Amino acid sequence: MTQNEKEITAFQTRVRQMILRFQELKQENKELYAMIEENEQQIEQLKAELSQKDRDYQSLKMARMLEISDGDLEGAKERIASLIRSVNKCINMLSDEK
């Protein structure tokens, strides 16, 4: 083999190696883009779940506030009823003294 033939053979070998490396990188790139797409879909799904959980939390918070308000209302009614009974007792006691 002459020097030119050796150089051509070496050149062909390098070109084949570069082509193989290009194909490997192309496949890796394809896989990475698929992973990115999958991650973006997962992010969108998680955003939707977070949004739903936030709405649920706000609803529960509102329900809890209403529940507390109802409890306060019942407590207030009981205190008022107790005060009315006390006033009625006082009025009865005063009426009996006359």
Side-chain angles (χ1 to χ4, degrees), residues 57-70:
Y57 172 72
Q58 294 300 328
S59 295
L60 287 172
K61 191 165 77 170
M62 182 64 70
R64 181 70 179 147
M65 286 193 310
L66 290 175
E67 181 181 312
I68 290 171
S69 296
D70 289 345

Side-chain angles (χ1 to χ4, degrees), residues 1 15 19 21 24 37 57 67 70 72 75 94-95 97:
M1 257 205 245
V15 168
I19 290 172
R21 182 67 180 143
E24 289 171 1
E37 180 65 30
Y57 172 72
E67 181 181 312
D70 289 345
D72 291 344
L94 290 173
S95 295
E97 289 183 6

